Protein backbone atom coordinates (compact mmCIF):
# COMPACT_ATOMS: atom_id res chain seq x y z
CA UNK A 1 0.00 0.00 0.00
CA UNK A 2 2.87 2.36 0.81
CA UNK A 3 4.38 1.89 -2.66
CA UNK A 4 1.05 2.58 -4.34
CA UNK A 5 0.50 5.71 -2.25
CA UNK A 6 4.01 6.90 -3.06
CA UNK A 7 3.37 6.29 -6.75
CA UNK A 8 0.09 8.25 -6.58
CA UNK A 9 1.60 11.20 -4.70
CA UNK A 10 4.51 11.24 -7.12
CA UNK A 11 2.22 11.19 -10.14
CA UNK A 12 0.11 14.01 -8.72
CA UNK A 13 3.25 15.98 -7.86
CA UNK A 14 4.51 15.61 -11.41
CA UNK A 15 1.26 16.98 -12.80
CA UNK A 16 0.51 19.68 -10.21
CA UNK A 17 3.60 21.69 -9.23
CA UNK A 18 2.24 22.82 -5.85
CA UNK A 19 2.27 19.22 -4.57
CA UNK A 20 5.78 18.27 -3.46
CA UNK A 21 6.81 14.64 -3.65
CA UNK A 22 10.10 15.61 -2.01
CA UNK A 23 8.29 16.81 1.13
CA UNK A 24 6.20 13.64 1.15
CA UNK A 25 9.25 11.39 0.76
CA UNK A 26 11.24 13.31 3.35
CA UNK A 27 8.43 12.97 5.86
CA UNK A 28 8.02 9.30 5.01
CA UNK A 29 11.73 8.62 5.47
CA UNK A 30 11.76 10.45 8.80
CA UNK A 31 8.60 8.72 10.07
CA UNK A 32 9.59 5.19 9.06
CA UNK A 33 12.77 3.28 9.72
CA UNK A 34 13.93 3.82 6.14
CA UNK A 35 17.63 3.71 7.07
CA UNK A 36 17.25 0.15 8.35
CA UNK A 37 15.48 -1.05 5.23
CA UNK A 38 17.41 -0.54 1.98
CA UNK A 39 14.76 -2.55 0.13
CA UNK A 40 12.03 -0.18 1.26
CA UNK A 41 14.11 2.84 0.24
CA UNK A 42 14.75 1.35 -3.21
CA UNK A 43 11.09 0.39 -3.68
CA UNK A 44 9.86 3.83 -2.67
CA UNK A 45 12.42 5.51 -4.94
CA UNK A 46 11.34 3.40 -7.91
CA UNK A 47 7.63 3.97 -7.21
CA UNK A 48 8.21 7.72 -6.98
CA UNK A 49 10.44 7.69 -10.07
CA UNK A 50 7.85 5.86 -12.15
CA UNK A 51 5.05 8.18 -11.01
CA UNK A 52 7.04 11.30 -11.80
CA UNK A 53 8.17 9.92 -15.16
CA UNK A 54 4.60 9.16 -16.21
CA UNK A 55 3.54 12.67 -15.22
CA UNK A 56 6.41 14.22 -17.17
CA UNK A 57 5.47 12.09 -20.19
CA UNK A 58 2.00 13.64 -19.97
CA UNK A 59 3.57 17.14 -20.04
CA UNK A 60 5.79 16.04 -22.95
CA UNK A 61 2.81 14.76 -24.93
CA UNK A 62 0.77 17.89 -24.21
CA UNK A 63 3.60 20.06 -25.50
CA UNK A 64 4.10 17.87 -28.57
CA UNK A 65 0.40 18.08 -29.35
CA UNK A 66 0.33 21.86 -28.80
CA UNK A 67 2.85 22.24 -31.62
CA UNK A 68 0.01 21.40 -34.00
CA UNK A 69 -2.28 24.14 -32.69
CA UNK A 70 -3.21 26.89 -35.17
CA UNK A 71 -2.03 29.60 -32.76
CA UNK A 72 1.44 28.09 -32.41
CA UNK A 73 1.63 27.43 -36.14
CA UNK A 74 0.97 31.14 -36.77
CA UNK A 75 3.79 32.01 -34.36
CA UNK A 76 6.16 29.59 -36.06
CA UNK A 77 5.25 31.09 -39.43
CA UNK A 78 6.99 34.28 -38.24
CA UNK A 79 10.63 34.31 -39.26
CA UNK A 80 12.02 35.13 -35.80
CA UNK A 81 10.11 32.34 -34.04
CA UNK A 82 10.84 29.76 -36.75
CA UNK A 83 14.59 30.49 -36.73
CA UNK A 84 14.77 30.21 -32.95
CA UNK A 85 12.77 27.00 -32.91
CA UNK A 86 14.85 25.44 -35.70
CA UNK A 87 18.07 26.44 -33.95
CA UNK A 88 16.97 24.57 -30.82
CA UNK A 89 15.72 21.60 -32.86
CA UNK A 90 19.13 21.28 -34.51
CA UNK A 91 20.89 21.45 -31.14
CA UNK A 92 18.74 18.64 -29.80
CA UNK A 93 18.70 16.51 -32.95
CA UNK A 94 22.40 16.78 -33.61
CA UNK A 95 23.54 16.15 -30.02
CA UNK A 96 21.76 13.22 -28.39
CA UNK A 97 24.40 12.92 -25.65
CA UNK A 98 24.01 16.58 -24.72
CA UNK A 99 20.23 16.22 -24.80
CA UNK A 100 20.39 13.20 -22.48
CA UNK A 101 22.82 15.04 -20.17
CA UNK A 102 20.46 18.03 -19.85
CA UNK A 103 17.51 15.69 -19.24
CA UNK A 104 19.47 13.74 -16.63
CA UNK A 105 20.60 16.91 -14.84
CA UNK A 106 17.07 18.25 -14.83
CA UNK A 107 15.58 14.97 -13.58
CA UNK A 108 18.29 14.36 -11.00
CA UNK A 109 19.14 17.80 -9.69
CA UNK A 110 16.08 19.78 -10.69
CA UNK A 111 17.93 22.42 -12.67
CA UNK A 112 16.65 23.38 -15.11
CA UNK A 113 13.19 22.51 -13.73
CA UNK A 114 11.99 19.20 -15.14
CA UNK A 115 8.49 20.49 -15.90
CA UNK A 116 9.96 23.12 -18.22
CA UNK A 117 12.35 20.62 -19.79
CA UNK A 118 9.44 18.20 -20.33
CA UNK A 119 7.57 20.86 -22.29
CA UNK A 120 10.66 21.80 -24.30
CA UNK A 121 11.45 18.13 -24.99
CA UNK A 122 7.91 17.54 -26.21
CA UNK A 123 7.97 20.63 -28.40
CA UNK A 124 11.28 19.58 -29.93
CA UNK A 125 10.18 15.94 -30.19
CA UNK A 126 13.10 14.49 -28.26
CA UNK A 127 12.90 10.74 -28.95
CA UNK A 128 10.94 8.88 -26.26
CA UNK A 129 13.72 6.27 -26.23
CA UNK A 130 16.00 9.00 -24.85
CA UNK A 131 13.44 10.94 -22.82
CA UNK A 132 11.74 8.23 -20.74
CA UNK A 133 14.74 6.22 -19.48
CA UNK A 134 16.76 9.35 -18.75
CA UNK A 135 13.97 10.95 -16.73
CA UNK A 136 13.24 7.66 -14.95
CA UNK A 137 16.86 7.12 -13.92
CA UNK A 138 17.37 10.75 -12.88
CA UNK A 139 14.19 10.89 -10.80
CA UNK A 140 14.72 7.48 -9.20
CA UNK A 141 18.28 8.33 -8.16
CA UNK A 142 17.13 11.72 -6.84
CA UNK A 143 14.42 10.12 -4.73
CA UNK A 144 16.70 7.33 -3.50
CA UNK A 145 19.26 9.89 -2.34
CA UNK A 146 16.54 11.90 -0.60
CA UNK A 147 15.04 8.88 1.15
CA UNK A 148 18.40 7.42 2.15
CA UNK A 149 19.74 10.78 3.30
CA UNK A 150 16.74 11.71 5.42
CA UNK A 151 16.51 8.13 6.73
CA UNK A 152 20.16 8.15 7.72
CA UNK A 153 19.85 11.57 9.34
CA UNK A 154 16.70 10.57 11.24
CA UNK A 155 18.33 7.33 12.43
CA UNK A 156 21.48 9.11 13.61
CA UNK A 157 19.45 11.77 15.45
CA UNK A 158 17.82 9.19 17.71
Amino acid sequence: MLLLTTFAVSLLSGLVPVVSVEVYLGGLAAATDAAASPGLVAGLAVAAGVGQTLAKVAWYLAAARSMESPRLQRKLAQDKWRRGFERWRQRVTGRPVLTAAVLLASAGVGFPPLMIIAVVAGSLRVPMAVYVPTVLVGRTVRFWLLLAGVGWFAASAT
Side-chain angles (χ1 to χ4, degrees):
M1 188 63 159
L2 191 57
L3 294 177
L4 185 58
T5 303
T6 299
F7 169 80
V9 169
S10 180
L11 182 65
L12 179 63
S13 170
L15 295 170
V16 182
V18 296
V19 176
S20 174
V21 71
E22 287 84 359
V23 170
Y24 168 80
L25 291 174
L28 193 59
T32 63
D33 195 12
S37 179
L40 176 62
V41 169
L44 290 170
V46 169
V50 170
Q52 279 272 301
T53 300
L54 288 176
K56 299 311 177 190
V57 166
W59 280 102
Y60 173 105
L61 293 172
R65 188 165 262 194
S66 75
M67 293 303 292
E68 300 163 8
S69 75
R71 181 176 174 262
L72 201 51
Q73 288 301 315
R74 283 192 301 274
K75 283 274 192 194
L76 289 173
Q78 298 171 11
D79 226 23
K80 178 182 172 184
W81 278 80
R82 188 179 63 253
R83 281 194 315 265
F85 181 77
E86 286 305 319
R87 184 174 58 244
W88 278 103
R89 185 192 306 265
Q90 288 173 348
R91 287 177 182 166
V92 167
T93 304
R95 297 182 179 107
V97 173
L98 177 62
T99 301
V102 169
L103 283 169
L104 190 60
S106 180
V109 180
F111 186 81
L114 187 55
M115 186 171 291
I116 293 169
I117 293 300
V119 170
V120 170
S123 300
L124 296 173
R125 306 266 205 264
V126 170
M128 281 286 200
V130 172
Y131 181 77
V132 171
T134 307
V135 170
L136 179 61
V137 167
R139 282 283 133 160
T140 301
V141 169
R142 173 188 178 98
F143 298 143
W144 181 84
L145 289 170
L146 173 74
L147 286 159
V150 170
W152 175 83
F153 185 74
S156 67
T158 58

